[in-house]
Structure formats: C-alpha cells, structure tokens
C-alpha cells in the first residue's frame, strides 16, 4: 500500500484481513489510522477513521480480529482528535 501525498492516508484498498493484521501490529495511533503524523490534520484523521470504521464495523465484517481492530481504530481516533492532545 502506498501513502497518498495529498491526503496522507493509505490510497490503495486493502483486504479487511490485511487491514486487521496491520492494525494489530501498529504501535502508534497514527499507524493504527494509517496516517502520516507530521502532515495530518483533523480532516485527514476523520477521513481515515471513517474509512476504517466502515470497513471494520462488527456488523459488516465477521473476520476474526475485526472487533478488536475496530476498537483500536476508535480509540486511536478518540485520542488524536481530542482538543487537549
């Protein structure tokens, strides 16, 4: 997967199983959302979160690990989008 320089998010659609594996191995909230820390803003964070949340929502994705990945994505967005961060 490549990073889209204009949006600072992953530009290639990944299979849910690949996304789940990437998220489970991520060490930072930025890695979890697939954004570049130095250049992302609130708009980029929201777009990345919404894309992943739709893809990994437990009602849509029944793959093992999807629920944990969804929770991790939600937590990452919550932490990064809070005004006191």
């Amino acid at each position: 997967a490549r990073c889209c320089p204009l949006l600072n998010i992953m530009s290639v659609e990944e299979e849910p199983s690949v996304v789940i594996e990437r998220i489970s191995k991520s060490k930072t909230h930025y890695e979890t959302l697939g954004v570049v820390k130095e250049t992302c803003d609130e708009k980029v964070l929201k777009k990345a979160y919404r894309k992943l949340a739709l893809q990994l929502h437990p009602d849509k994705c029944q793959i093992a690990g999807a629920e944990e990945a969804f929770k991790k994505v939600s937590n990452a967005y919550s932490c990064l989008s809070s005004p006191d961060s």
Side-chain angles (χ1 to χ4, degrees), residues 18-69:
V18 175
V19 173
I20 292 167
E21 185 176 340
R22 178 181 61 77
I23 290 170
S24 69
K25 293 179 180 179
S26 66
K27 292 182 171 85
T28 68
H29 294 312
Y30 294 99
E31 286 179 13
T32 299
L33 294 175
V35 297
V36 178
K37 178 181 179 179
E38 291 77 16
T39 56
C40 75
D41 59 12
E42 184 69 28
K43 184 178 177 181
V44 172
L45 287 174
K46 186 172 185 176
K47 183 171 181 144
Y49 166 71
R50 290 178 59 103
K51 178 181 174 184
L52 290 170
L54 284 171
Q55 187 176 22
L56 299 173
H57 193 279
D59 290 343
K60 291 184 89 175
C61 186
Q62 302 300 318
I63 298 173
E67 188 170 348
E68 281 301 313

